[in-house]
Amino acid sequence: MTDFHALTANPAYEKLVSLARQPFDLSQKDVLNSKRLSSYVSYSQGWQFFYGTQRVDDAVLDALQELADESRVITNFQAMKAGEVINRIEGYESEERMVLHTASRDIWGNPAHPAASTQAAVEFDKLADFLARLASGNITNAAGKTFTDMITVGIGGSDLGPRALYLALAACRIPARQVHFISNVDPDDAAAVLKNLDLSRTLVNVVSKSGSTLETLTNEELVRSAFRRAGLEPQNHFIAVTGKGSPMDDPARYLRSFYMFDYIGGRYSATSMVGAVMLGFALGNNALHEILRGAHDIDLAAEEPDIRRNIPLLMAMLGIWNHTFLKHETLAVLPYSQALIRFTAHLQQCDMESNGKSIDRQGNKLTWQSGPIIWGEPGTNGQHAFYQLLHQGTTIVPVEFIGFRHSQYQNDLTIKGTTSQDKLLANLLAQSLAMAGGRENDNPNRCFAGNRPNSILLADRLTPYAMGALLAIYETKIVMQGFVWNINSFDQEGVQLGKVLANEIIAHMAARHKDKNYQGADGDPGWLMLKESKC
Ligand code: G6Q
């Protein structure tokens, strides 16, 4: 049974407010010693999480543990996985849905929600069959040739997570296969992708849970017309990934249709068919299952109540400490891995769309800070761009570093005694220490105040399993923070108004294309904006 209540109703809240008046000083002499750095580490599924460079001591960690316990984070998480309807606002019209993205990878026996896991397994079996037929040449193009490319058309949750995973694991790609993405309704996005492709050997994976998203449907039509112009039958090339019963649920128009379900939110859908069809095509079924295994193993490990032994929970609580109690507004996620180039963008959506809320689960205005602003770019590139502000700016930005001991391609060279991977890792560690400890200097311009909280997630290598685990660590962190802040992390009403107004302006545009004397409606600001902007 879930128990959601006000953050401020937890006795640990006041304790943390008081501890936050004098947070641990990381810039004290010799404080970043081996005792601290080796005891503030947590391990899970091949990931190590170093948090000695956060502004915490045992008293703060104990209070964060109390807050997690009082907020019932673990029992709420278990209830979520078992299918309790937690995508809701009590007493108001809301989505009223279960939240079961974890079921999409809970397919190996004893699942927390058997019915949802069975639905997932049915789709994974269909996909395995489809992939096997593609590989064996049982499914080919009209000329009997295999498919080499896939275009994925989708936006938001139907693009960001899957794309981030594809880029992260491109090193494991089946050599003869490539994936391309079209998401923006900007026609140049599609034009650039279509320009150099052999469409006759291309599959098009149209991904839309609702089957009604303006950008995706527009781009689908654009790509279909390119196929027709090339003399190709779209239904021999197009695949649908959509919700059962959606306007796109029309198998006659597609070579194959795969389903996801209303209990999986778009931004949590990367391990459902939304990501799986594309990842299975690019990496093969075995690598896809490794991703699922990594994510599932974290879903299980995240039921551990001790924050020091549960990475997602610990990250959630440290994030709450930095944001709600130490009042740091933003969070930089800085992967030291070029392959994770779009992972921060995915987290930006997953976190900010989930936790960018200002009412609680009972519909009351929040009196505490909810989700932070998430941003970031891979290191070391970022070091030559925005790190100046991170080290010496007046705004303190907590950082989550992500790194690996070994490269993916292992195509590296020793130059001046170290490999490039060594140099990358050395930079990551150095940045973490510099931000935390700082360094004094008589010249004020060369002084580093330190005390900039950060942590490091470190694994051996970015494999499919490690990627699945990393994805689930962050999904779970976000969900758990939402529990503590007592907000619904699973709806996104805040994106509706802009969509409604855009559709009104589009209607004016269509009317004006039809009748050049069209005058719009008096006092309609959408029409006035359009007219005034002379578009
Ligand atoms: C994610 C959001 C949103 C959604 C896109 C695409 O949680 O709901 O980003 O994923 O708007 O929606 P469709 O998949 O329905 O096209």
Side-chain angles (χ1 to χ4, degrees):
M1 257 310 260
T2 49
D3 168 3
F4 296 116
H5 55 263
L7 170 69
T8 46
N10 298 305
Y13 176 81
E14 283 305 331
K15 205 181 261 187
L16 283 157
V17 168
S18 143
L19 288 165
R21 288 193 193 107
Q22 270 198 310
F24 186 80
D25 183 354
L26 292 163
S27 66
Q28 295 168 87
K29 198 166 166 358
D30 297 332
V31 90
L32 294 172
N33 53 39
S34 81
K35 183 165 173 270
R36 179 177 173 90
L37 295 177
S38 63
S39 57
Y40 284 178
V41 188
S42 188
Y43 304 84
S44 192
Q45 318 322 122
W47 283 96
Q48 250 179 315
F49 179 65
F50 295 90
Y51 59 100
T53 41
Q54 291 283 353
R55 299 196 69 182
V56 294
D57 53 16
D58 284 343
V60 171
L61 288 168
D62 290 346
L64 289 173
Q65 176 75 63
E66 284 169 37
L67 181 60
D69 294 343
E70 289 161 9
S71 304
R72 306 269 186 272
V73 173
I74 299 302
T75 43
N76 289 340
F77 180 61
Q78 288 165 331
M80 177 191 93
K81 293 207 288 182
E84 203 166 307
V85 175
I86 62 167
N87 176 359
R88 64 190 296 254
I89 300 292
E90 289 162 33
Y92 294 88
E93 195 185 331
S94 59
E95 291 190 338
E96 302 291 331
R97 288 178 184 163
M98 300 183 287
V99 175
L100 285 173
H101 52 278
T102 46
S104 69
R105 56 243 187 176
D106 192 0
I107 51 175
W108 292 283
N110 204 16
H113 192 283
S117 291
T118 304
Q119 281 186 311
V122 167
E123 297 305 310
F124 279 112
D125 287 349
K126 270 166 56 183
L127 177 59
D129 175 71
F130 178 61
L131 294 173
R133 284 170 192 270
L134 285 177
S136 69
N138 180 286
I139 298 179
T140 60
N141 71 4
K145 291 207 169 142
T146 53
F147 290 104
T148 54
D149 290 76
M150 174 179 274
I151 301 173
T152 285
V153 180
I155 196 165
S158 293
D159 166 62
L160 287 158
R163 192 195 296 234
L165 263 60
Y166 173 74
L167 294 172
L169 298 171
C172 317
R173 229 174 359 96
I174 295 172
R177 292 186 181 170
Q178 276 201 23
V179 179
H180 318 266
F181 297 86
I182 301 175
S183 56
N184 201 330
V185 75
D186 177 347
D188 289 344
D189 197 10
V193 168
L194 293 172
K195 198 168 160 213
N196 294 318
L197 271 182
D198 176 358
L199 294 185
S200 75
R201 301 191 68 181
T202 301
L203 290 167
V204 182
N205 177 35
V206 187
V207 186
S208 177
K209 175 179 166 181
S210 62
S212 63
T213 301
L214 170 82
E215 291 90 336
T216 302
L217 296 189
T218 306
N219 280 324
E220 178 179 2
E221 279 318 306
L222 220 144
V223 180
R224 275 183 187 265
S225 82
F227 270 75
R228 284 192 212 99
R229 280 199 308 277
L232 299 162
E233 281 295 339
Q235 64 269 38
N236 296 337
H237 294 256
F238 279 55
I239 299 164
V241 176
T242 194
K244 262 232 148 79
S246 89
M248 259 176 65
D249 184 6
D250 180 2
R253 297 183 76 222
Y254 298 95
L255 176 64
R256 283 287 187 285
S257 292
F258 297 97
Y259 297 107
M260 49 110 63
F261 304 92
D262 74 348
Y263 49 70
I264 301 179
R267 54 194 174 273
Y268 296 96
S269 66
T271 55
S272 73
M273 285 299 117
V274 167
V277 173
M278 175 277 294
L279 292 167
F281 175 79
L283 312 175
N285 206 41
N286 291 345
L288 169 63
H289 279 253
E290 278 299 289
I291 299 172
L292 302 177
R293 257 182 212 288
H296 178 56
D297 287 351
I298 287 291
D299 294 341
L300 293 177
E303 292 189 23
E304 163 64 51
D306 181 347
I307 65 166
R308 290 169 171 89
R309 287 152 43 90
N310 179 337
I311 292 181
L313 177 60
L314 180 55
M315 288 177 73
M317 301 315 292
L318 290 171
I320 287 169
W321 170 245
N322 284 329
H323 186 58
T324 307
F325 295 98
L326 300 187
K327 312 278 184 208
H328 301 312
E329 292 274 345
T330 88
L331 170 69
V333 181
L334 308 177
Y336 275 62
S337 158
Q338 195 57 24
L340 290 179
I341 185 155
R342 292 298 287 166
F343 187 59
T344 305
H346 165 58
L347 294 182
Q348 207 166 46
Q349 181 200 24
C350 198
D351 200 318
M352 292 167 73
E353 203 165 60
S354 296
N355 290 342
K357 306 285 165 65
S358 42
I359 59 155
D360 68 14
R361 287 183 156 276
Q362 292 74 33
N364 308 304
K365 211 164 173 342
L366 290 182
T367 56
W368 51 89
Q369 287 264 301
S370 62
I373 297 159
I374 308 289
W375 62 284
E377 281 284 320
T380 60
N381 297 25
Q383 290 176 204
H384 300 263
F386 50 80
Y387 277 42
Q388 165 63 39
L389 184 150
L390 298 187
H391 286 289
Q392 289 187 319
T394 48
T395 298
I396 297 205
V397 181
V399 174
E400 288 172 0
F401 293 101
I402 303 171
F404 302 91
R405 292 184 194 87
H406 306 287
S407 66
Q408 283 183 310
Y409 289 97
Q410 293 182 273
N411 185 3
D412 203 348
L413 195 63
T414 300
I415 299 174
K416 294 190 179 162
T418 55
T419 62
S420 296
Q421 187 67 26
D422 290 336
K423 293 174 178 83
L424 181 68
L425 195 54
N427 270 281
L428 184 167
L429 300 174
Q431 292 298 329
S432 165
L433 290 174
M435 285 178 196
R439 187 157 294 180
E440 285 174 5
N441 195 303
D442 291 341
N443 177 343
N445 197 31
R446 297 200 172 141
C447 183
F448 292 79
N451 256 330
R452 294 170 188 240
N454 67 82
S455 52
I456 302 174
L457 265 173
L458 192 65
D460 267 352
R461 182 173 282 123
L462 183 48
T463 59
Y465 182 89
M467 187 64 235
L470 181 65
L471 178 80
I473 285 173
Y474 271 98
E475 286 177 355
T476 310
K477 171 199 165 189
I478 293 163
V479 163
M480 289 179 165
Q481 289 190 327
F483 292 161
V484 177
W485 285 321
N486 190 30
I487 55 181
N488 180 8
S489 304
F490 310 106
D491 65 2
Q492 54 283 319
E493 292 296 334
V495 303
Q496 292 310 328
L497 179 58
K499 280 191 201 171
V500 170
L501 296 183
N503 279 330
E504 287 174 14
I505 295 173
I506 287 168
H508 289 305
M509 282 173 158
R512 202 174 54 176
H513 281 313
K514 216 164 146 193
D515 168 10
K516 64 179 180 353
N517 297 319
Y518 176 70
Q519 281 309 312
D522 265 359
D524 177 341
W527 166 246
L528 293 178
M529 284 290 276
L530 179 65
K531 212 169 65 164
E532 289 309 314
S533 54
K534 311 239 184 308
C535 317

